Amino acid sequence: MKAIPFADQLILPDLQTSGIIALSGGADSVCLTRVLCQMGCRPVLAHLNHQLRGNESDRDAAFVVQLARAENLTLELDSVDVKSRTEEASLENVCRGIRYEFLLRVARKHHASWVATGHTADDQAETVIHRILRGTGLQGLQGISPKRMLGENVEVIRPLLKVTRSEIEAYLQQLGQSFCSDSSNLDSQFTRNRIRHKILPVLKEESPALVELLGRLAEQAGEVQNYLGGLAESALRDCEAARAGRTIVIKRKLLPSNDVLLKEMVRLLWIRENWSAGDMTQNHWSSLVAMIRDGQARADFPGRIRIINDGRVLLLEPF
Amino acid sequence: MKAIPFADQLILPDLQTSGIIALSGGADSVCLTRVLCQMGCRPVLAHLNHQLRGNESDRDAAFVVQLARAENLTLELDSVDVKSRTEEASLENVCRGIRYEFLLRVARKHHASWVATGHTADDQAETVIHRILRGTGLQGLQGISPKRMLGENVEVIRPLLKVTRSEIEAYLQQLGQSFCSDSSNLDSQFTRNRIRHKILPVLKEESPALVELLGRLAEQAGEVQNYLGGLAESALRDCEAARAGRTIVIKRKLLPSNDVLLKEMVRLLWIRENWSAGDMTQNHWSSLVAMIRDGQARADFPGRIRIINDGRVLLLEPF
């Protein structure tokens, strides 16, 4: 058996518990499968056919069946007609949503505690660049999390997040392991592909270690964001009173005195309440903080959330 | 008199106190001079001839003399032979050091409380991209500070940091105000110029508002860093004992429990003690934190700083 050359860069799940691998058939998830098997793990493979690339999608599904057989692993295969369910523009997001629903379903069925995906250091770099180009704060600079909860007791984990695509391809070649290529990765109508094929090469010419540097930046942003999140949680506990139905009640006198912390605290509240945090821009958060500080009587925010400054308390509610 | 179209984006110094403008003769600092004059300010102009571009340097000096005359402002002109004092590689840094020394001297002579420089939103975006390509954490993402202390009671301020270069050039054209072009801005041996002429255009094609977005990212990084800095200062006050000569003594039991805060605290200490913080990479800071946590007995860090874990105290000292 060949040693795994990037073994010390792996972010491993608990190999003693059962887990799922999200297997597209591409180099990254095929590598992930081979690596985890080599480490003595017996994951269940999960493949969702999005039916977006005609014969190519079917070829990928057939490849995955073969790989499962070769590795003697259980395979959960499903198929969905995404195209009929969505518009072109939001296609990527819709696919992601459907895919993670499927993965959670498979995890539940097999009593798995983790779902591993094949995201690489290059994916991380592309995500960070994408966020920067779209406009981001510290929150977005974290890029892809190495681990996050997918549902109760089920975690998504990215074992290859510190391994580069070229390390992965070299390893597969060494194993003589084939994999599928996704022709839509070349389609320049997707921002992601323009970043991969046009923007990153220009940046790497100036900074050959860029993928690693962006990975470290994302990691540091994650550490700081995590620390701030903890402080914000504790600040929220200090100033939140019992809720009145759908209305959140905050004691103004106990609000954190620092604006960075206050902004983080209200963001946390938005996420906890499932209000549409995604529709709040940096400007919205800043003006929310300003209105709380100024004692401005009332303002409405995206997602139909109303804030009322009512003397000693601050009321936040959907309307 | 024409209204200043970007008046609400200006970061203004206290116009009631005397100040200096660092005037190169280029569009940015010429614009800055006209803008501050128009707002009723009577700054002293300061121009340092670096003698790096032969006739062009002399032409710039002559232009500056004319502008001072036209605006009826005091001009401090000095000249330095930088080339004989440095090697090519570090030229930019050496020039910057000499220039700020000169500006502080002029500020002292005129009892000025501020020195304004012409840095623009484009300079900020270029700096942030440069830092990202070189590898940066949150600290570096702040880019150019809108204000910082240059010496006791003298502050550097960047009034145009939120104004784009194209807004500046449009305004000068509207005034019929000429300015000097620096031919070295086209020299692609300087990283800065490659970022300006090659990298930023590719990024802006994908993200037309990039300059503004990077400005906001830098601002947010500054806010968070500022907040962390305050927490770290207070953490340091809590755990530092009286120093023993050149040795810093830290009570281990009172160290902050969070690693982000601990890292920020030691960084602060490095800066306060004038140890070479610039030679410490992210990896150095991380391994410093790890050695403190693990109770590892002793380690040396760049700039000849030795850390000794001595039971209840941690000793830090130059050797």
Side-chain angles (χ1 to χ4, degrees):
Chain A
M1 208 186 307
K2 315 259 185 191
I4 302 165
F6 41 78
D8 59 339
Q9 288 148 260
L10 293 171
I11 301 164
L12 288 175
D14 180 354
L15 297 174
Q16 307 308 314
T17 64
S18 18
I20 310 293
I21 291 182
L23 178 64
S24 68
D28 307 338
S29 57
V30 169
C31 174
L32 179 59
T33 305
R34 292 293 305 255
V35 163
L36 290 186
C37 285
Q38 186 165 345
M39 302 189 92
C41 184
R42 308 291 306 147
V44 169
L45 305 178
H47 178 83
L48 184 63
N49 185 343
H50 296 91
Q51 300 184 50
L52 285 169
R53 290 173 288 122
N55 289 340
E56 198 178 294
S57 294
D58 297 336
R59 177 208 66 187
D60 292 0
F63 172 86
V64 159
V65 170
Q66 271 198 317
L67 182 63
R69 203 170 292 152
E71 295 287 332
N72 195 24
L73 294 173
T74 305
L75 171 66
E76 293 284 350
L77 198 66
D78 203 351
S79 172
V80 64
D81 183 8
V82 186
K83 225 165 203 158
S84 66
R85 287 167 59 176
T86 180
E87 282 169 39
E88 200 67 39
S90 59
L91 192 60
E92 256 181 298
N93 285 332
V94 171
C95 283
R96 187 180 304 117
I98 293 176
R99 197 160 57 241
Y100 280 106
E101 265 171 44
F102 163 69
L103 292 169
L104 184 57
R105 215 160 53 232
V106 174
R108 294 281 182 234
K109 177 175 166 190
H110 292 274
H111 308 287
S113 64
W114 50 267
V115 173
T117 70
H119 292 94
T120 66
D122 294 74
D123 292 320
Q124 180 67 299
E126 287 158 16
T127 301
V128 173
I129 293 289
H130 192 174
R131 300 267 171 93
I132 290 173
L133 294 178
R134 203 175 61 185
T136 188
L138 193 52
Q139 173 62 21
L141 269 190
Q142 294 177 86
I144 302 166
S145 316
K147 296 179 183 187
R148 70 171 173 87
M149 295 313 289
L150 181 59
E152 213 182 331
N153 301 321
V154 180
E155 166 175 84
V156 179
I157 185 163
R158 279 80 192 222
L160 302 178
L161 198 60
K162 293 179 173 190
V163 183
T164 63
R165 201 166 286 143
S166 64
E167 287 176 298
I168 285 167
E169 288 178 3
Y171 180 63
L172 289 176
Q173 190 167 18
Q174 194 192 328
L175 292 180
Q177 171 67 55
S178 61
F179 55 87
C180 305
S181 298
D182 181 342
S183 63
S184 75
N185 281 342
L186 298 171
D187 188 341
S188 70
Q189 71 163 304
F190 295 114
T191 313
R192 167 62 58 129
N193 293 333
R194 290 195 301 274
I195 291 174
R196 180 175 300 177
H197 299 297
K198 197 176 140 199
I199 293 179
L200 265 175
V202 173
L203 297 177
K204 275 166 138 174
E205 208 178 303
E206 188 67 42
S207 171
L210 186 65
V211 166
E212 195 198 332
L213 295 172
L214 288 176
R216 265 196 261 147
L217 176 60
E219 212 175 338
Q220 206 218 339
E223 283 165 12
V224 171
Q225 188 59 39
N226 201 23
Y227 175 55
L228 285 181
L231 295 177
E233 250 176 61
S234 131
L236 184 56
R237 267 196 305 274
D238 290 345
C239 66
E240 188 174 11
R243 62 191 301 152
R246 300 201 306 162
T247 304
I248 305 296
V249 184
I250 302 281
K251 291 171 263 181
R252 293 193 60 207
K253 224 171 72 184
L254 299 178
L255 280 169
S257 61
N258 180 281
D259 283 355
V260 170
L261 191 54
L262 177 56
K263 203 189 282 187
E264 196 54 36
M265 190 193 92
V266 287
R267 213 179 54 78
L268 210 71
L269 189 61
W270 244 253
I271 290 164
R272 191 191 76 188
E273 296 295 314
N274 259 318
W275 296 340
S276 27
D279 296 333
M280 293 283 287
T281 63
Q282 288 296 326
N283 279 346
H284 285 123
W285 296 121
S286 297
S287 67
L288 173 53
V289 164
M291 89 150 266
I292 293 173
R293 292 281 184 229
D294 299 348
Q296 186 192 324
R298 179 178 147 158
D300 295 343
F301 287 89
R304 299 178 64 76
I305 304 299
R306 175 161 297 160
I307 319 289
I308 299 163
N309 249 322
D310 187 18
R312 276 189 283 185
V313 294
L314 194 68
L315 306 173
L316 298 94
E317 58 193 19
F319 65 94
Chain B
M1 207 188 303
K2 313 258 186 192
I4 301 166
F6 41 78
D8 58 341
Q9 288 147 255
L10 293 170
I11 301 164
L12 288 175
D14 180 354
L15 299 174
Q16 306 307 313
T17 62
S18 14
I20 310 293
I21 290 182
L23 178 64
S24 68
D28 307 338
S29 58
V30 169
C31 174
L32 179 60
T33 305
R34 294 292 306 256
V35 162
L36 291 185
C37 286
Q38 185 165 343
M39 301 188 92
C41 184
R42 308 290 307 146
V44 170
L45 305 179
H47 179 85
L48 184 64
N49 185 343
H50 296 91
Q51 299 182 54
L52 285 169
R53 291 172 288 123
N55 288 341
E56 198 178 293
S57 294
D58 297 336
R59 175 209 67 186
D60 292 359
F63 172 86
V64 159
V65 170
Q66 270 198 318
L67 182 64
R69 202 170 294 150
E71 296 287 332
N72 195 25
L73 295 171
T74 305
L75 172 66
E76 293 285 350
L77 199 64
D78 204 350
S79 174
V80 65
D81 183 7
V82 186
K83 224 163 203 159
S84 67
R85 288 168 58 175
T86 180
E87 281 169 40
E88 200 67 38
S90 59
L91 192 59
E92 257 182 298
N93 285 332
V94 172
C95 282
R96 188 180 303 118
I98 294 177
R99 197 161 57 240
Y100 280 105
E101 266 171 41
F102 164 68
L103 291 168
L104 184 58
R105 215 159 54 233
V106 173
R108 296 277 183 238
K109 175 173 168 192
H110 291 273
H111 308 287
S113 62
W114 51 266
V115 173
T117 71
H119 292 95
T120 67
D122 294 76
D123 291 320
Q124 180 66 299
E126 287 158 18
T127 301
V128 173
I129 293 290
H130 193 173
R131 302 266 171 93
I132 290 173
L133 294 178
R134 203 176 60 186
T136 187
L138 194 52
Q139 173 63 19
L141 271 190
Q142 295 177 84
I144 303 165
S145 315
K147 296 178 183 187
R148 68 172 176 89
M149 295 314 290
L150 179 60
E152 213 181 332
N153 301 321
V154 180
E155 167 175 82
V156 179
I157 184 163
R158 278 81 192 224
L160 302 179
L161 198 59
K162 293 178 175 194
V163 183
T164 64
R165 202 166 285 144
S166 64
E167 286 177 298
I168 286 167
E169 288 180 2
Y171 179 64
L172 289 176
Q173 190 167 18
Q174 195 192 329
L175 292 179
Q177 171 67 58
S178 60
F179 55 87
C180 304
S181 298
D182 180 342
S183 63
S184 74
N185 281 342
L186 298 171
D187 188 340
S188 69
Q189 72 162 302
F190 296 113
T191 312
R192 168 60 59 126
N193 293 334
R194 290 194 301 275
I195 291 174
R196 182 176 298 177
H197 299 299
K198 196 175 140 201
I199 293 178
L200 265 176
V202 173
L203 297 177
K204 275 165 137 177
E205 208 178 303
E206 189 66 42
S207 171
L210 186 65
V211 167
E212 195 197 334
L213 295 173
L214 288 176
R216 266 196 259 147
L217 176 59
E219 211 175 336
Q220 207 219 337
E223 284 166 11
V224 171
Q225 189 59 40
N226 202 23
Y227 174 55
L228 284 181
L231 295 177
E233 251 177 61
S234 133
L236 184 57
R237 267 195 306 273
D238 290 346
C239 66
E240 189 173 10
R243 63 191 301 153
R246 298 200 308 162
T247 304
I248 305 295
V249 183
I250 302 282
K251 292 171 263 181
R252 293 193 61 207
K253 223 171 73 183
L254 299 178
L255 280 169
S257 61
N258 180 281
D259 283 356
V260 170
L261 191 53
L262 177 57
K263 202 188 285 186
E264 195 54 36
M265 190 192 92
V266 286
R267 213 179 54 79
L268 210 71
L269 188 62
W270 244 254
I271 290 164
R272 191 192 75 188
E273 295 296 314
N274 259 320
W275 295 340
S276 28
D279 295 334
M280 293 283 285
T281 63
Q282 287 297 326
N283 279 346
H284 285 122
W285 295 120
S286 296
S287 67
L288 173 53
V289 164
M291 89 149 267
I292 294 175
R293 292 283 183 227
D294 300 349
Q296 187 193 325
R298 179 179 148 159
D300 294 343
F301 288 90
R304 300 179 61 76
I305 303 300
R306 174 160 298 161
I307 319 288
I308 300 162
N309 249 322
D310 187 19
R312 276 189 285 186
V313 294
L314 194 70
L315 306 173
L316 299 94
E317 58 194 18
F319 65 94

